Each structure stands twice: as C-alpha cells, then as structure tokens.
Amino acid sequence: MRFPLFVEAVARRAELSTDQAATVSRAVLQTLAERITADEAGDLAAQLPDDVGGYLAAPEGTGATGAAVEFLYRVSERSAVDPAVAEVGTRAVLATLRDTVTVGEFQDLVAQLPRGFDAMVDPIPRPPYDV
C-alpha cells in the first residue's frame, strides 16, 4: 500500500479530505514513533511501504511517554487540526494500520501504547470458526 492509498483509506474512515487525512496520517505516524521503541518502529515500518514507514523514524532523543490525551494533543498540534479531528484521524490511522500489517505486528504496536489507547483501537477481528 503506497501512501496515497493509505491516505485514501484514512480519509474514508475519518470522513476527512484527502489533504487533511495526509497531514493527520503523517502526524499520527510521527507521534507513534515517539511513543514506541525504535525496534518496534522498525518492525512496523518494515511491513509498510517506504513512503508510509518513513514517517515512523523517531528523531534522536525522543521516547516521549504519556497518555492518549497527550498523544492526541501532539497530533493536533503537528497537523494543525482541532483535538476532535485529531482523535477521529488517529482512530482511522490505527484502523488502517491494523488492516495493513500482520495481526502479530499490530498486537506488538498496541502493547506498547498506554492504556488510554484501548478506546481508540478497534479489536482485531477473529477468524470465523467452522462448526
């Protein structure tokens, strides 16, 4: 999935314009990179095309922590949108990541996020069972 396709999926899910979805997607990925380990960011980026995964490169000296609210304010600030749009966009980006990477990789990502993120991450669908 190239970045434009990723953005289209985010725009559809969040009901944002393509330009706004692109800006929010970049902000979410960059902010995620600050919240997860460098190894996890690398593992996640390895399953994404370079033009998407490239936003997961955390700048030196980061390793920010904090709750979901702080994350959303950072996304809001980075993308110049209000916090409500940042939340809708963050949910859409996480859902798009869930559909793009393997289940195990998405679970590894979610495991590194603070508890407040539980409400923003849709559950991973379970495969249907044969009866």
Side-chain angles (χ1 to χ4, degrees):
M1 173 182 286
R2 307 288 302 164
F3 191 65
L5 294 175
F6 188 91
V7 167
E8 285 175 26
V10 170
R12 226 178 11 260
R13 283 185 165 105
E15 298 180 2
L16 298 172
S17 71
T18 305
D19 288 342
Q20 200 170 35
T23 301
V24 170
S25 294
R26 282 187 211 90
V28 170
L29 293 169
Q30 290 168 341
T31 307
L32 274 174
E34 294 172 350
R35 300 303 194 272
I36 60 178
T37 66
D39 287 343
E40 181 55 33
D43 291 348
L44 185 61
Q47 291 193 22
L48 298 169
D50 289 344
D51 57 345
V52 177
Y55 294 111
L56 288 166
E60 290 295 318
T62 61
T65 58
V69 172
E70 292 173 31
F71 183 95
L72 293 174
Y73 280 116
R74 183 71 174 138
V75 170
S76 174
E77 181 182 275
R78 268 196 167 124
S79 57
V81 298
D82 68 51
V85 173
E87 181 175 357
V88 169
T90 298
R91 287 175 185 268
V93 169
L94 290 171
T96 304
L97 283 172
R98 185 194 66 222
D99 291 347
T100 305
V101 301
T102 64
V103 171
E105 186 54 45
F106 190 73
Q107 289 172 332
D108 290 348
L109 168 66
V110 171
Q112 291 195 13
L113 299 176
R115 275 189 233 160
F117 278 86
D118 295 350
M120 286 194 294
V121 178
D122 292 332
I124 298 168
R126 301 225 181 254
Y129 295 98
D130 292 333
V131 179

mmCIF file of all heavy atoms in Angstrom, residues 48-79:
data_model
loop_
_atom_site.group_PDB
_atom_site.id
_atom_site.type_symbol
_atom_site.label_atom_id
_atom_site.label_comp_id
_atom_site.label_asym_id
_atom_site.label_seq_id
_atom_site.Cartn_x
_atom_site.Cartn_y
_atom_site.Cartn_z
ATOM 1 N N LEU A 48 5.496 -1.829 6.086
ATOM 2 C CA LEU A 48 4.836 -0.749 5.359
ATOM 3 C C LEU A 48 5.729 -0.296 4.210
ATOM 4 O O LEU A 48 6.945 -0.394 4.301
ATOM 5 C CB LEU A 48 4.579 0.430 6.306
ATOM 6 C CG LEU A 48 3.652 0.158 7.486
ATOM 7 C CD1 LEU A 48 3.708 1.308 8.481
ATOM 8 C CD2 LEU A 48 2.229 -0.067 7.010
ATOM 9 N N PRO A 49 5.148 0.228 3.144
ATOM 10 C CA PRO A 49 5.986 0.775 2.068
ATOM 11 C C PRO A 49 6.850 1.908 2.598
ATOM 12 O O PRO A 49 6.489 2.570 3.583
ATOM 13 C CB PRO A 49 4.969 1.311 1.058
ATOM 14 C CG PRO A 49 3.679 0.680 1.406
ATOM 15 C CD PRO A 49 3.728 0.348 2.865
ATOM 16 N N ASP A 50 7.974 2.135 1.962
ATOM 17 C CA ASP A 50 8.910 3.166 2.420
ATOM 18 C C ASP A 50 8.243 4.517 2.603
ATOM 19 O O ASP A 50 8.550 5.248 3.535
ATOM 20 C CB ASP A 50 10.080 3.316 1.450
ATOM 21 C CG ASP A 50 11.012 2.120 1.506
ATOM 22 O OD1 ASP A 50 10.936 1.350 2.480
ATOM 23 O OD2 ASP A 50 11.812 1.964 0.567
ATOM 24 N N ASP A 51 7.324 4.870 1.688
ATOM 25 C CA ASP A 51 6.717 6.191 1.787
ATOM 26 C C ASP A 51 5.721 6.299 2.941
ATOM 27 O O ASP A 51 5.345 7.387 3.329
ATOM 28 C CB ASP A 51 6.095 6.641 0.467
ATOM 29 C CG ASP A 51 5.047 5.695 -0.083
ATOM 30 O OD1 ASP A 51 4.961 4.541 0.380
ATOM 31 O OD2 ASP A 51 4.311 6.108 -0.992
ATOM 32 N N VAL A 52 5.314 5.202 3.544
ATOM 33 C CA VAL A 52 4.491 5.226 4.752
ATOM 34 C C VAL A 52 5.390 5.009 5.966
ATOM 35 O O VAL A 52 5.371 5.781 6.925
ATOM 36 C CB VAL A 52 3.373 4.154 4.718
ATOM 37 C CG1 VAL A 52 2.579 4.163 6.013
ATOM 38 C CG2 VAL A 52 2.445 4.363 3.518
ATOM 39 N N GLY A 53 6.201 3.963 5.930
ATOM 40 C CA GLY A 53 7.071 3.616 7.046
ATOM 41 C C GLY A 53 8.096 4.675 7.371
ATOM 42 O O GLY A 53 8.564 4.766 8.503
ATOM 43 N N GLY A 54 8.457 5.504 6.391
ATOM 44 C CA GLY A 54 9.441 6.555 6.620
ATOM 45 C C GLY A 54 9.032 7.544 7.701
ATOM 46 O O GLY A 54 9.877 8.154 8.346
ATOM 47 N N TYR A 55 7.746 7.693 7.918
ATOM 48 C CA TYR A 55 7.269 8.614 8.953
ATOM 49 C C TYR A 55 7.436 8.040 10.356
ATOM 50 O O TYR A 55 7.224 8.732 11.345
ATOM 51 C CB TYR A 55 5.805 8.986 8.717
ATOM 52 C CG TYR A 55 5.621 9.788 7.461
ATOM 53 C CD1 TYR A 55 4.981 9.254 6.357
ATOM 54 C CD2 TYR A 55 6.123 11.087 7.365
ATOM 55 C CE1 TYR A 55 4.827 9.988 5.185
ATOM 56 C CE2 TYR A 55 5.979 11.821 6.203
ATOM 57 C CZ TYR A 55 5.324 11.266 5.116
ATOM 58 O OH TYR A 55 5.191 11.993 3.973
ATOM 59 N N LEU A 56 7.812 6.778 10.460
ATOM 60 C CA LEU A 56 7.998 6.145 11.764
ATOM 61 C C LEU A 56 9.413 6.307 12.309
ATOM 62 O O LEU A 56 9.732 5.771 13.358
ATOM 63 C CB LEU A 56 7.645 4.653 11.683
ATOM 64 C CG LEU A 56 6.157 4.369 11.537
ATOM 65 C CD1 LEU A 56 5.919 2.924 11.121
ATOM 66 C CD2 LEU A 56 5.429 4.676 12.829
ATOM 67 N N ALA A 57 10.239 7.038 11.615
ATOM 68 C CA ALA A 57 11.607 7.283 12.096
ATOM 69 C C ALA A 57 11.548 8.370 13.159
ATOM 70 O O ALA A 57 11.234 9.518 12.873
ATOM 71 C CB ALA A 57 12.504 7.709 10.945
ATOM 72 N N ALA A 58 11.814 7.985 14.395
ATOM 73 C CA ALA A 58 11.771 8.954 15.503
ATOM 74 C C ALA A 58 13.032 9.793 15.510
ATOM 75 O O ALA A 58 14.123 9.271 15.319
ATOM 76 C CB ALA A 58 11.613 8.226 16.833
ATOM 77 N N PRO A 59 12.908 11.088 15.739
ATOM 78 C CA PRO A 59 14.099 11.918 15.859
ATOM 79 C C PRO A 59 14.918 11.514 17.077
ATOM 80 O O PRO A 59 14.383 10.943 18.019
ATOM 81 C CB PRO A 59 13.546 13.331 16.016
ATOM 82 C CG PRO A 59 12.094 13.206 16.231
ATOM 83 C CD PRO A 59 11.688 11.810 15.911
ATOM 84 N N GLU A 60 16.196 11.796 17.043
ATOM 85 C CA GLU A 60 17.075 11.467 18.165
ATOM 86 C C GLU A 60 16.583 12.117 19.442
ATOM 87 O O GLU A 60 16.087 13.233 19.435
ATOM 88 C CB GLU A 60 18.507 11.952 17.873
ATOM 89 C CG GLU A 60 19.210 11.170 16.799
ATOM 90 C CD GLU A 60 19.469 9.729 17.173
ATOM 91 O OE1 GLU A 60 19.853 9.458 18.315
ATOM 92 O OE2 GLU A 60 19.288 8.871 16.307
ATOM 93 N N GLY A 61 16.714 11.374 20.529
ATOM 94 C CA GLY A 61 16.392 11.933 21.831
ATOM 95 C C GLY A 61 14.930 11.914 22.203
ATOM 96 O O GLY A 61 14.530 12.541 23.160
ATOM 97 N N THR A 62 14.100 11.231 21.432
ATOM 98 C CA THR A 62 12.686 11.164 21.795
ATOM 99 C C THR A 62 12.470 9.986 22.720
ATOM 100 O O THR A 62 13.384 9.490 23.323
ATOM 101 C CB THR A 62 11.791 11.062 20.545
ATOM 102 O OG1 THR A 62 12.132 9.881 19.855
ATOM 103 C CG2 THR A 62 11.927 12.271 19.660
ATOM 104 N N GLY A 63 11.319 9.490 22.797
ATOM 105 C CA GLY A 63 10.973 8.445 23.733
ATOM 106 C C GLY A 63 9.928 9.002 24.671
ATOM 107 O O GLY A 63 9.847 8.669 25.841
ATOM 108 N N ALA A 64 9.132 9.912 24.111
ATOM 109 C CA ALA A 64 8.094 10.553 24.899
ATOM 110 C C ALA A 64 7.113 9.515 25.414
ATOM 111 O O ALA A 64 6.866 8.502 24.782
ATOM 112 C CB ALA A 64 7.364 11.579 24.038
ATOM 113 N N THR A 65 6.613 9.796 26.560
ATOM 114 C CA THR A 65 5.592 8.936 27.124
ATOM 115 C C THR A 65 4.349 9.781 27.305
ATOM 116 O O THR A 65 4.331 10.947 26.981
ATOM 117 C CB THR A 65 6.047 8.358 28.478
ATOM 118 O OG1 THR A 65 6.329 9.442 29.349
ATOM 119 C CG2 THR A 65 7.263 7.474 28.313
ATOM 120 N N GLY A 66 3.338 9.203 27.835
ATOM 121 C CA GLY A 66 2.146 9.986 28.108
ATOM 122 C C GLY A 66 0.904 9.267 27.687
ATOM 123 O O GLY A 66 0.938 8.288 26.951
ATOM 124 N N ALA A 67 -0.179 9.766 28.175
ATOM 125 C CA ALA A 67 -1.482 9.159 27.939
ATOM 126 C C ALA A 67 -1.991 9.486 26.539
ATOM 127 O O ALA A 67 -1.402 10.296 25.811
ATOM 128 C CB ALA A 67 -2.456 9.654 28.992
ATOM 129 N N ALA A 68 -3.111 8.872 26.224
ATOM 130 C CA ALA A 68 -3.732 9.070 24.922
ATOM 131 C C ALA A 68 -4.075 10.540 24.684
ATOM 132 O O ALA A 68 -3.935 11.044 23.571
ATOM 133 C CB ALA A 68 -4.976 8.199 24.795
ATOM 134 N N VAL A 69 -4.507 11.244 25.734
ATOM 135 C CA VAL A 69 -4.869 12.654 25.586
ATOM 136 C C VAL A 69 -3.659 13.472 25.140
ATOM 137 O O VAL A 69 -3.765 14.309 24.235
ATOM 138 C CB VAL A 69 -5.459 13.203 26.908
ATOM 139 C CG1 VAL A 69 -5.662 14.701 26.840
ATOM 140 C CG2 VAL A 69 -6.757 12.494 27.237
ATOM 141 N N GLU A 70 -2.505 13.221 25.737
ATOM 142 C CA GLU A 70 -1.290 13.927 25.337
ATOM 143 C C GLU A 70 -0.916 13.595 23.895
ATOM 144 O O GLU A 70 -0.464 14.459 23.144
ATOM 145 C CB GLU A 70 -0.151 13.584 26.278
ATOM 146 C CG GLU A 70 -0.355 14.121 27.681
ATOM 147 C CD GLU A 70 0.697 13.618 28.644
ATOM 148 O OE1 GLU A 70 1.840 13.366 28.237
ATOM 149 O OE2 GLU A 70 0.350 13.473 29.830
ATOM 150 N N PHE A 71 -1.089 12.332 23.519
ATOM 151 C CA PHE A 71 -0.827 11.899 22.148
ATOM 152 C C PHE A 71 -1.708 12.695 21.189
ATOM 153 O O PHE A 71 -1.239 13.221 20.180
ATOM 154 C CB PHE A 71 -1.104 10.394 22.028
ATOM 155 C CG PHE A 71 -0.798 9.814 20.681
ATOM 156 C CD1 PHE A 71 0.418 9.209 20.432
ATOM 157 C CD2 PHE A 71 -1.733 9.855 19.652
ATOM 158 C CE1 PHE A 71 0.707 8.657 19.193
ATOM 159 C CE2 PHE A 71 -1.460 9.307 18.416
ATOM 160 C CZ PHE A 71 -0.236 8.705 18.181
ATOM 161 N N LEU A 72 -3.001 12.784 21.499
ATOM 162 C CA LEU A 72 -3.937 13.490 20.622
ATOM 163 C C LEU A 72 -3.607 14.972 20.514
ATOM 164 O O LEU A 72 -3.711 15.560 19.430
ATOM 165 C CB LEU A 72 -5.368 13.300 21.108
ATOM 166 C CG LEU A 72 -5.906 11.880 20.995
ATOM 167 C CD1 LEU A 72 -7.286 11.774 21.630
ATOM 168 C CD2 LEU A 72 -5.934 11.414 19.545
ATOM 169 N N TYR A 73 -3.192 15.580 21.609
ATOM 170 C CA TYR A 73 -2.798 16.993 21.547
ATOM 171 C C TYR A 73 -1.568 17.174 20.671
ATOM 172 O O TYR A 73 -1.460 18.151 19.931
ATOM 173 C CB TYR A 73 -2.579 17.588 22.936
ATOM 174 C CG TYR A 73 -3.884 17.978 23.601
ATOM 175 C CD1 TYR A 73 -4.300 17.351 24.758
ATOM 176 C CD2 TYR A 73 -4.703 18.958 23.040
ATOM 177 C CE1 TYR A 73 -5.515 17.692 25.358
ATOM 178 C CE2 TYR A 73 -5.908 19.304 23.623
ATOM 179 C CZ TYR A 73 -6.308 18.667 24.784
ATOM 180 O OH TYR A 73 -7.509 18.999 25.364
ATOM 181 N N ARG A 74 -0.647 16.232 20.735
ATOM 182 C CA ARG A 74 0.549 16.307 19.891
ATOM 183 C C ARG A 74 0.168 16.159 18.416
ATOM 184 O O ARG A 74 0.668 16.894 17.567
ATOM 185 C CB ARG A 74 1.547 15.219 20.316
ATOM 186 C CG ARG A 74 2.833 15.255 19.552
ATOM 187 C CD ARG A 74 3.653 16.475 19.951
ATOM 188 N NE ARG A 74 4.940 16.401 19.294
ATOM 189 C CZ ARG A 74 5.532 17.440 18.734
ATOM 190 N NH1 ARG A 74 4.987 18.627 18.779
ATOM 191 N NH2 ARG A 74 6.689 17.296 18.153
ATOM 192 N N VAL A 75 -0.721 15.229 18.115
ATOM 193 C CA VAL A 75 -1.198 15.053 16.732
ATOM 194 C C VAL A 75 -1.922 16.315 16.285
ATOM 195 O O VAL A 75 -1.713 16.801 15.163
ATOM 196 C CB VAL A 75 -2.107 13.809 16.605
ATOM 197 C CG1 VAL A 75 -2.797 13.762 15.246
ATOM 198 C CG2 VAL A 75 -1.302 12.534 16.842
ATOM 199 N N SER A 76 -2.755 16.855 17.150
ATOM 200 C CA SER A 76 -3.491 18.081 16.841
ATOM 201 C C SER A 76 -2.535 19.230 16.520
ATOM 202 O O SER A 76 -2.713 19.946 15.533
ATOM 203 C CB SER A 76 -4.385 18.439 18.032
ATOM 204 O OG SER A 76 -5.001 19.681 17.842
ATOM 205 N N GLU A 77 -1.526 19.371 17.349
ATOM 206 C CA GLU A 77 -0.531 20.425 17.162
ATOM 207 C C GLU A 77 0.250 20.230 15.865
ATOM 208 O O GLU A 77 0.435 21.172 15.089
ATOM 209 C CB GLU A 77 0.416 20.404 18.363
ATOM 210 C CG GLU A 77 1.496 21.441 18.346
ATOM 211 C CD GLU A 77 2.391 21.287 19.575
ATOM 212 O OE1 GLU A 77 2.029 21.844 20.627
ATOM 213 O OE2 GLU A 77 3.414 20.582 19.476
ATOM 214 N N ARG A 78 0.704 19.000 15.627
ATOM 215 C CA ARG A 78 1.503 18.709 14.425
ATOM 216 C C ARG A 78 0.724 18.899 13.133
ATOM 217 O O ARG A 78 1.292 19.285 12.121
ATOM 218 C CB ARG A 78 1.970 17.248 14.461
ATOM 219 C CG ARG A 78 3.268 17.050 15.081
ATOM 220 C CD ARG A 78 3.816 15.667 14.735
ATOM 221 N NE ARG A 78 5.188 15.651 15.118
ATOM 222 C CZ ARG A 78 5.735 14.784 15.946
ATOM 223 N NH1 ARG A 78 5.020 13.811 16.455
ATOM 224 N NH2 ARG A 78 6.999 14.861 16.260
ATOM 225 N N SER A 79 -0.553 18.560 13.171
ATOM 226 C CA SER A 79 -1.339 18.606 11.939
ATOM 227 C C SER A 79 -2.202 19.859 11.828
ATOM 228 O O SER A 79 -2.909 20.029 10.832
ATOM 229 C CB SER A 79 -2.218 17.353 11.830
ATOM 230 O OG SER A 79 -3.064 17.235 12.956
#
